[in-house]
Amino acid sequence: MDDLLVAYAGDAAERDRLRLADGWLRRWVGTWLVGGTEVSWPLGDMASVPVSASRPVRRFTWRSRQGHRPGLQFMVSTGRHHGFESLEEQRLLLALDFVGVLEVLPQPFELDFEHRGGRSRHVPDFLAVMPGGRVRLFDVRPERLIKPEDRLKFAAAREAAAACGWSYSVVAGWREHVLTGLDHLSSQRRPLPDRLGLEGELLAAAPLRFGELVAATSLPAVARAHATHLLWHRRLGVDLGQPLGDTSPVWPTRVGGL
């Protein structure tokens, strides 16, 4: 993920405004929706929350003339639709699907935290169980839209994630060409029958440039879809930091299966 996104770190200067004195892990509270019931945990106990049994703590709303665009994004990696509140959040879900997350929970909890001015609340955008079981918390905000009060909330979320043993990122943008590349690869992310054995031919022929790789198979016109499928599922590798086309170098990876 870190090779794909542009992370915001401007909240670091706000850490001094947080109240992190003795006992803060008991005073900071996270409220989750588990089994349809709101349950609150002190921050020090929050790492044990059953993520798979939790639901978003805030409803997704649709109305005319709203300033953002919510919706549902299907993810092959989880087999379900997940809610998002903006196009930027939808793009994060697409990237998470590409890396093969195990679970994603939008609007996972409401954090009640202390700072010099009193108490505030913040609902992070996503909690993701990454490949290998690592947990990562995300907020999504283009850097030009980040306000001073957002920086304080991001700083609090970063401290909360660290206390739980999670990583945390504020997604402020994406590296050049990443989104267009993922958008193209996602066209072949669903299961694709390989009755002609083209995937074996592609894997055996790599490394080559994409156009040359497809041309090396017995049915190049059909092999393009299978090559894209293998790239999405990371059985073939490509540099997403460069424009994706026939001249893109493609190589076999060590990742097996989907």
Side-chain angles (χ1 to χ4, degrees):
M1 282 297 295
D2 292 325
D3 293 334
L4 306 179
L5 60 84
V6 175
Y8 176 76
D11 56 277
E14 303 296 320
R15 187 177 187 275
D16 291 342
R17 296 176 57 194
L18 301 174
R19 292 194 178 276
L20 301 173
D22 293 344
W24 72 283
L25 292 176
R26 307 300 302 177
R27 297 192 304 273
W28 288 33
V29 177
T31 299
W32 299 64
L33 189 62
V34 181
T37 302
E38 286 191 356
V39 183
S40 296
W41 276 272
L43 182 56
D45 299 330
M46 211 167 69
S48 62
V49 174
V51 175
S52 60
S54 300
R55 297 293 180 267
V57 297
R58 191 169 65 195
R59 291 181 179 272
F60 294 89
T61 58
W62 289 263
R63 65 182 184 276
S64 61
R65 299 181 181 178
Q66 64 187 19
H68 60 284
R69 183 178 172 183
L72 294 172
Q73 173 78 11
F74 180 77
M75 298 181 66
V76 172
S77 54
T78 66
R80 305 195 315 277
H81 286 86
H82 299 269
F84 60 85
E85 290 191 309
S86 67
L87 293 178
E88 292 297 331
E89 290 187 8
Q90 183 184 27
R91 289 162 181 154
L92 173 60
L93 289 175
L94 182 65
L96 289 172
D97 202 13
F98 174 69
V99 302
V101 293
L102 304 179
E103 186 58 83
V104 175
L105 178 60
Q107 319 255 309
F109 60 90
E110 182 178 61
L111 177 65
D112 184 346
F113 64 96
E114 292 181 327
H115 54 89
R116 290 179 182 175
R119 302 189 72 94
S120 294
R121 295 174 179 269
H122 175 53
V123 179
D125 290 320
F126 295 101
L127 186 74
V129 182
M130 307 298 286
R134 298 176 294 107
V135 178
R136 190 160 181 173
L137 189 65
F138 291 94
D139 273 304
V140 183
R141 194 72 51 85
E143 186 167 355
R144 69 183 186 281
L145 300 180
I146 296 176
K147 303 175 183 178
E149 57 267 30
D150 295 327
R151 292 197 293 269
L152 179 63
K153 292 176 179 180
F154 296 160
R158 194 179 299 277
E159 291 299 322
C164 293
W166 307 333
S167 57
Y168 175 72
S169 295
V170 178
V171 182
W174 298 91
R175 299 188 186 279
E176 190 175 10
H177 306 300
V178 164
L179 291 179
T180 54
L182 289 181
D183 183 64
H184 173 69
L185 296 184
S186 68
S187 66
Q188 298 296 337
R189 59 180 173 163
R190 294 177 184 269
L192 182 63
D194 183 27
R195 297 186 179 92
L196 301 176
L198 294 173
E199 293 184 5
E201 293 183 32
L202 290 164
L203 292 171
L208 284 172
R209 297 184 183 277
F210 186 85
E212 298 169 345
L213 179 65
V214 169
T217 67
S218 55
L219 287 171
V222 180
R224 281 186 173 273
H226 287 276
T228 304
H229 182 76
L230 292 174
L231 286 169
W232 172 267
H233 290 288
R234 300 171 312 286
R235 297 181 65 190
L236 290 174
V238 69
D239 183 4
L240 287 174
Q242 301 295 325
L244 185 59
D246 278 355
T247 60
S248 299
V250 175
W251 56 88
T253 68
R254 297 181 180 179
V255 179
L258 301 183

